[in-house]
Structure formats: structure tokens, C-alpha cells
Amino acid sequence: RLKGGWYGGVQGISTDYAIGAEGLLAGALNQIGLTGLRSNGLGLVAEFDDRDNVRNATLGQHFPAHNVAYREGLGGEESFDALHLSYAKYFPFGEGNVLATDIRGRWTKDAPQSGFSSIDMRGYTRGNYLGEHSTEIQFDARFDVNGTWGAALFGGVGCLYSTLSDLDSSDALFPMGGAGLIYNLKPEAGIVLRLDYALGEDDNSALYLSFGQPF
């Protein structure tokens, strides 16, 4: 902790995954560079956090920022850089209701395709869509029903791009929307259980049962 709500630190990340495929599929994946990734990186972390509850915030803001410098000299296969930024803010309204907003992005430099950014929103499977850079804006409206049960409406849009001119194409945009039920499992600790259904484009959809809020 540096001062007030500001924090700073360092991080180390080791990534090692492979994509298993045989025959024609393996050849196709090799052609486009999706063969997995083994790389190690170091980075700096900065964070501002003044939320009233880190698990189930109703007020405040959260701003984490960090970079990862993946390097062959650290035992990896590739050298490239990735920068992550996100900002969430919470607006209480009515009796016990909250509008949570979140904007986040990941930007890479000299990354192989296996190290590209992906859409990281409900309704989409991470890794199905890839681009050098990603940016996403989401909202999550949380409504209190009776103190124990709640409901949520959420939506957002993400984009994948290499240059800003790519954003003119509808193929770069990925909308999402959905609804959910919230059960306050342990209100004093901010622990909630959520059941969400999210719908994306091109038949992308998913049902989620999870502990905690999405952001």
C-alpha cells in the first residue's frame, strides 16, 4: 500500500499451454500460428481501490493497471509485451440498487497470435476470437428485491483491432446482453451467488453459476 487507496507492486507470470490437434486441423492451426504458448514474464502493478466492499461493491471505484514483459531470456518461446488497464465505478440508486460500470483493455506489442488479446465478456468463450488489442465496455444493473434475492440486467460491447481504423468494421465489434438472479449468501461479507444467462452474436450464449459479482 502506497498511500490512501493506492497500491503498487510487481508480478511474475508463467504461461504454458498447448492446443491439441491432429491431421488437417493441426496443419491449419500451424499455418495461422495457434500452436500454444510457453512464455514467462515480469511486470509492474499499480492499483487504486476505494470500493466500500471488494466482493460486492455499491460505491466507489477500482482502477488496476499492469504490464507483462514476456521474454525469451526468462525461459519463454517469444518476447513480447502486454498492457492491461481496467476501470470500474459504482453508482447506487433507489433502495439498495447499484449500477456497476466497467471499461477494460489489453494491448500487445510484437505478440505472436497465441499471445493476442481475446474477448473477455460473458456470452463468449475466451480464445474464440483474437486480435492484437481488445477493449470492452460493460454495465451491470443490480436490483435488490427483498434483501436476500436480487436481479440483474447487463450488457456491453467489446472490440478487437490492430489499428483504430479497424473499428469502422462491424466485424470488430462483439455485443453482449443478458439477465440474472442474485442470492445474497452472506450479506455481511459481500458474498453473493449469481445465475446469469448471457447472449452474444453469432449464436454465442452461455449460462453461468458463479460466486461473486462479475466486476
Side-chain angles (χ1 to χ4, degrees):
R1 184 169 183 169
L2 303 177
K3 183 179 181 181
W6 282 100
Y7 301 81
V10 296
Q11 67 177 351
I13 295 179
S14 180
T15 301
D16 187 0
Y17 75 92
I19 298 176
E22 299 179 353
L24 292 176
L25 179 58
L29 292 175
N30 285 327
Q31 286 292 321
I32 61 176
L34 287 177
T35 57
L37 180 67
R38 186 177 77 248
S39 194
N40 303 317
L42 298 173
L44 300 175
V45 182
E47 181 178 19
F48 177 79
D49 191 352
D50 67 353
R51 293 172 293 175
D52 58 345
N53 189 308
V54 297
R55 294 191 182 99
N56 188 18
T58 62
L59 188 68
Q61 52 194 337
H62 184 215
F63 172 63
H66 63 96
N67 77 300
V68 184
Y70 294 98
R71 293 295 182 267
E72 293 181 60
L74 296 174
E77 297 175 336
E78 303 280 353
S79 293
F80 65 97
D81 294 280
L83 173 66
H84 307 247
L85 299 174
S86 66
Y87 176 73
K89 189 170 177 61
Y90 303 85
F91 303 90
F93 67 95
E95 293 294 329
N97 308 320
V98 180
L99 175 63
T101 60
D102 180 79
I103 180 170
R104 64 183 60 195
R106 182 180 185 267
W107 298 267
T108 66
K109 181 180 179 182
D110 300 325
Q113 189 147 0
S114 294
F116 274 12
S117 304
S118 177
I119 293 295
D120 185 16
M121 296 191 306
R122 287 164 291 176
Y124 295 92
T125 300
R126 291 191 65 180
N128 275 4
Y129 302 94
L130 297 173
E132 288 186 62
H133 317 305
S134 67
T135 302
E136 297 149 4
I137 300 174
Q138 300 182 71
F139 72 86
D140 194 72
R142 303 160 189 170
F143 304 93
D144 177 58
V145 176
N146 61 10
T148 300
W149 288 95
L153 292 174
F154 54 87
V157 62
C159 54
L160 295 172
Y161 54 98
S162 295
T163 63
L164 292 179
S165 61
D166 294 340
L167 300 180
D168 294 334
S169 170
S170 61
D171 293 337
L173 300 178
F174 299 85
M176 175 275 293
L181 293 174
I182 302 173
Y183 178 68
N184 287 294
L185 191 63
K186 197 172 183 180
E188 64 275 15
I191 299 175
V192 303
L193 182 67
R194 283 188 60 146
L195 178 66
D196 292 327
Y197 177 74
L199 183 66
E201 69 170 10
D202 295 334
D203 296 325
N204 284 288
S205 64
L207 185 67
Y208 301 87
L209 180 63
S210 58
F211 283 102
Q213 306 289 7
F215 49 83

